[in-house]
Amino acid sequence: MPGRKKKIWIITGSVLSLIIVLIISFNSIVAGIIKNKIDDFVHLEKLKNYHITYSRVGFNFMNRSVSLIGLHYQPDSLYLDSLAKANVDMMVPELSLGRLTVAGIQFKTLLKEKKLIIRKITVKNPVIKMYKFNGIKKPVTPAKKQKVSFKDSVRLVLLHGVFIRTIRFKKSKWEIYNYKRHKYTLVSNNISLEINDLMLKNSGHQNQYFYPSLKEAFLTAKDNYIQLGNQLYDIQFDKLFVDLKGNELYIDGFRYKPLYSKKDFSKHIRFQKERFDMRTDKISFDGANFYLYLTKGKVYIRKIGISHALIDLYRDKKVPFNHKQRPLFPQQSLKKIPGKITIDTIQILNSRFQYSESSPVISTPLIVYFSDLSGTITHVTNVPSLWQKSNMKINLTGRMMNKAPFYLRFSFPLASVKDTFYFSGAVHGPVAFRVFNPAIYPASGLKFKSGILDKMTFKGSGSPRYGTGTMTMLYHDMELVATKKKDRKASNKFMSWGVNTMVRKNNPRKGDQKGAKTASMFFQRDIEKGFGNFLWKTLYSGMKATMLPSINTINRKSAESLSYPKQTK
């Protein structure tokens, strides 16, 4: 018996060894056939200006998989040099794959029903590099009409359908390289992509066109860097996540970063413009209709959320001003955006906004900032058929100069031909006037020595020609200090006396039976300056009218009866 068992084990081992040898041989033969097919394709096609190389091909009979290792698709260097000299506008790809594996191929279904069914495609360590050439764009010639054309479809020959259970890209890297400038303009170091249940279904018209569909797709990109074409900014973010099925996209650690400091930024611009610096913890896009964008080029997003943003705008007034510019209002700029865009709501949470400017007149920069900034922007669209539905509205709350609570509301009737907008708001006290000195002193040479702002309310409207409205500013015990022109740090006692003699120190005045003064606002727009300047100058006209007795006064009854153009819904 022991001898018989030994003999059985020997036979079994021999059979298994033979099977293993046959499988290995079969794998090697099939891999060789596939390699020859690839070599024949490369030789016959003779891809002009490109080189295709790979390390080896593998085949595994057990899991019905094919692997391609070390694939490299590279443009010829002489070809790239010729494009740089030709001054063309185009992008040329270079592709490297560490390992491409196609597993779970159902050969029986492929041979009998001509349907390609694959369990999994895995791509490891791919590097996609695009060589960017900035030149003259060639005019687009209209393509010849074809007898049969199906939009959003894929043409397949000799197949009746394709189904792929899972496609995974692991540790991908994507780069865009400006060939002339020898600089990377986009680098994404770690991208993962997963697509599940990708299917190509026949169009049903007895042709070779198939429509793609998928169950779900996820994309995650980490450690990304994008340099913008203006050579003044780049974009960085820690993580990007996209869920096509859930219509969700979010960005963590977003940064819109200037390439130069505030001092050096001015050396790289011809005319005055704001230096924009932004960072935020998270930007989320909920209800983003990716399919609508991919198929029709239309953008629809239900909600954009921006949380814990820090926005810093800086302007250097020592740089020449561009007197030819004609800035637009927000709704005018929105209407000029190409394509069709609709965003139901933009929500801002716990953010901070700061504006500062330097002047050739005074060394102290003007600074105004808003903290704890939250609010919404609703009905953002450039689609004319939606303009009558509702106005674009902005509602903001926060603290001015980190002290004074405020709210600010805007209504932009998109259907208005005159581009009139409406605004209202309030600044609540009590807050010391000295808090506003960083914003008031550099612009006027005046400082608040004392005084308390109790409350300020305002409402009005603006058009491309002028801004109007009313303001009620309640305060008490206000005293100002005027500084000398040559030495702004030293006070001018005579000018200070003159200013304090002219201004109203209290509103309402103590013992005044008429009550608080409500002033009118009016400012004729400077068409060379933007929306922020226009709004501020309109509000400033109301402040001056309140503090200076010689400027118009409106009592409460007449202010309440003041008529404004009727707003649309």
Side-chain angles (χ1 to χ4, degrees):
M1 289 295 291
R4 187 177 178 185
K5 286 185 177 179
K6 184 178 180 181
K7 190 175 182 180
I8 293 173
W9 279 111
I10 293 173
I11 295 173
T12 304
S14 300
V15 172
L16 289 175
S17 299
L18 180 61
I19 293 173
I20 292 172
V21 170
L22 289 174
I23 291 174
I24 293 173
S25 300
F26 181 75
N27 288 345
S28 179
I29 293 171
V30 174
I33 294 172
I34 296 173
K35 180 181 182 300
N36 291 333
K37 291 291 183 180
I38 294 174
D39 291 340
D40 290 343
F41 171 79
V42 174
H43 177 72
L44 292 173
E45 289 294 329
K46 292 182 180 179
L47 297 175
K48 187 179 180 181
N49 304 320
Y50 288 91
H51 304 287
I52 299 178
T53 58
Y54 62 94
S55 299
R56 62 187 179 90
V57 177
F59 178 80
N60 190 323
F61 173 76
M62 301 302 292
N63 62 8
R64 306 184 308 280
S65 68
V66 178
S67 297
L68 186 62
I69 296 94
L71 175 66
H72 196 49
Y73 176 81
Q74 182 180 18
D76 187 83
S77 59
L78 295 176
Y79 173 57
L80 296 176
D81 290 338
S82 67
L83 292 177
K85 294 177 182 178
N87 196 30
V88 296
D89 188 273
M90 64 183 299
M91 296 183 78
V92 176
E94 179 180 334
L95 176 65
S96 297
L97 300 181
R99 185 184 188 96
L100 169 65
T101 302
V102 182
I105 306 171
Q106 295 190 14
F107 294 104
K108 185 177 179 181
T109 307
L110 178 63
L111 295 172
K112 289 184 66 177
E113 303 178 21
K114 295 185 178 180
K115 291 182 179 180
L116 178 60
I117 298 177
I118 299 171
R119 179 171 53 83
K120 183 168 67 173
I121 297 177
T122 304
V123 185
K124 292 184 178 180
N125 303 317
V127 178
I128 301 170
K129 184 175 183 179
M130 304 295 292
Y131 292 96
K132 173 68 176 173
F133 296 88
N134 295 322
I136 301 173
K137 292 184 179 181
K138 294 182 179 180
V140 180
T141 55
K144 294 182 180 179
K145 291 186 177 180
Q146 299 179 350
K147 291 183 179 180
V148 180
S149 178
F150 293 86
K151 193 176 181 181
D152 311 323
S153 61
V154 178
R155 189 181 183 190
L156 297 177
V157 181
L158 301 177
L159 285 177
H160 293 166
V162 174
F163 177 78
I164 304 172
R165 176 71 65 184
T166 303
I167 302 176
R168 285 198 185 114
F169 286 79
K170 295 182 177 180
K171 296 182 179 180
S172 308
K173 188 174 183 178
W174 187 24
E175 304 170 334
I176 296 180
Y177 183 78
N178 192 304
Y179 196 79
K180 288 186 177 181
R181 292 170 52 203
H182 305 289
K183 194 170 185 179
Y184 286 95
T185 59
L186 184 148
V187 175
S188 185
N189 290 313
N190 190 343
I191 297 179
S192 297
L193 174 65
E194 180 174 325
I195 300 173
N196 294 322
D197 293 354
L198 175 64
M199 186 182 298
L200 295 178
K201 295 181 179 180
N202 191 278
S203 63
H205 297 280
Q206 302 299 320
N207 51 52
Q208 298 172 336
Y209 288 89
F210 294 78
Y211 292 99
S213 67
L214 53 88
K215 181 180 179 181
E216 55 189 9
F218 306 95
L219 183 144
T220 303
K222 298 179 180 179
D223 303 326
N224 298 273
Y225 159 86
I226 304 171
Q227 187 179 88
L228 302 180
N230 54 26
Q231 302 181 33
L232 294 175
Y233 297 92
D234 65 28
I235 292 176
Q236 301 172 8
F237 51 90
D238 298 334
K239 182 180 179 181
L240 170 80
F241 176 79
V242 181
D243 177 1
L244 290 183
K245 182 183 178 183
N247 292 330
E248 180 186 7
L249 183 154
Y250 68 78
I251 303 172
D252 287 341
F254 177 84
R255 179 77 191 274
Y256 186 88
K257 180 184 176 184
L259 299 179
Y260 307 100
S261 65
K262 290 182 178 180
K263 182 180 178 180
D264 293 335
F265 187 84
S266 303
K267 300 175 183 178
H268 297 272
I269 55 176
R270 183 181 176 187
F271 297 110
Q272 287 183 30
K273 67 167 60 176
E274 277 82 12
R275 175 185 178 272
F276 188 89
D277 190 352
M278 175 182 176
R279 66 182 71 196
T280 180
D281 285 356
K282 186 172 184 176
I283 302 177
S284 61
F285 299 79
D286 298 325
N289 195 328
F290 298 111
Y291 181 78
L292 184 66
Y293 175 74
L294 293 173
T295 57
K296 298 183 179 180
K298 298 179 181 180
V299 175
Y300 172 77
I301 303 171
R302 180 172 53 82
K303 180 182 176 182
I304 298 177
I306 302 172
S307 60
H308 298 92
L310 299 174
I311 303 172
D312 185 359
L313 266 64
Y314 170 76
R315 176 182 283 259
D316 186 353
K317 287 199 167 184
K318 297 185 289 292
V319 177
F321 186 82
N322 183 10
H323 293 282
K324 294 182 180 180
Q325 68 178 7
R326 298 294 182 267
L328 300 175
F329 287 165
Q331 76 274 31
Q332 293 174 321
S333 299
L334 176 63
K335 292 176 183 179
K336 288 185 175 293
I337 296 177
K340 293 185 177 182
I341 298 174
T342 301
I343 304 170
D344 290 345
T345 303
I346 301 174
Q347 185 177 49
I348 302 166
L349 294 173
N350 301 322
S351 298
R352 177 187 170 98
F353 174 86
Q354 175 174 302
Y355 174 81
S356 60
E357 64 181 33
S358 60
S359 167
V361 179
I362 184 172
S363 58
T364 304
L366 181 151
I367 300 175
V368 58
Y369 56 90
F370 305 90
S371 58
D372 300 330
L373 196 62
S374 296
T376 58
I377 306 172
T378 56
H379 196 63
V380 181
T381 181
N382 63 353
V383 182
S385 61
L386 300 177
W387 291 347
Q388 292 288 355
K389 183 179 179 181
S390 178
N391 296 344
M392 181 173 73
K393 295 180 180 180
I394 301 176
N395 295 304
L396 296 172
T397 62
R399 290 184 177 272
M400 186 176 181
M401 310 303 284
N402 208 33
K403 295 291 184 180
F406 78 93
Y407 76 82
L408 187 59
R409 295 170 184 163
F410 294 95
S411 180
F412 299 93
L414 298 174
S416 171
V417 179
K418 297 180 180 180
D419 287 319
T420 301
F421 68 93
Y422 306 91
F423 62 92
S424 64
V427 180
H428 298 278
V431 60
F433 273 123
R434 290 193 302 271
V435 169
F436 305 104
N437 280 336
I440 299 297
Y441 164 63
S444 63
L446 297 174
K447 288 183 178 180
F448 288 108
K449 183 179 180 181
S450 63
I452 300 294
L453 174 66
D454 297 307
K455 187 177 182 180
M456 180 173 69
T457 59
F458 53 86
K459 64 177 180 178
S461 63
S463 72
R465 296 178 59 190
Y466 53 81
T468 61
T470 60
M471 173 182 288
T472 302
M473 185 169 132
L474 307 178
Y475 60 93
H476 63 273
D477 300 332
M478 183 183 70
E479 185 176 354
L480 295 165
V481 175
T483 57
K484 295 179 180 180
K485 286 187 177 181
K486 294 183 178 180
D487 185 7
R488 282 294 180 92
K489 294 182 180 180
S491 62
N492 187 323
K493 292 183 179 180
F494 177 75
M495 286 294 295
S496 298
W497 173 81
V499 170
N500 287 305
T501 302
M502 292 175 58
V503 299
R504 179 189 293 260
K505 294 184 178 181
N506 300 282
N507 187 37
R509 284 174 174 163
K510 295 178 180 179
D512 192 344
Q513 299 297 323
K514 294 181 180 179
K517 176 183 180 180
T518 295
S520 64
M521 299 183 295
F522 179 84
F523 178 71
Q524 186 171 352
R525 186 192 179 196
D526 184 345
I527 59 174
E528 296 178 358
K529 296 186 178 180
F531 178 78
N533 175 272
F534 177 49
L535 179 65
W536 161 243
K537 290 296 180 67
T538 302
L539 295 174
Y540 185 58
S541 70
M543 297 177 197
K544 288 194 299 181
T546 301
M547 292 187 288
L548 297 175
S550 59
I551 300 181
N552 58 56
T553 302
I554 301 176
N555 59 37
R556 287 189 178 276
K557 290 184 178 180
S558 59
E560 290 171 358
S561 64
L562 187 67
S563 62
Y564 288 91
K566 188 176 181 181
Q567 299 186 39
T568 55
K569 193 175 181 180

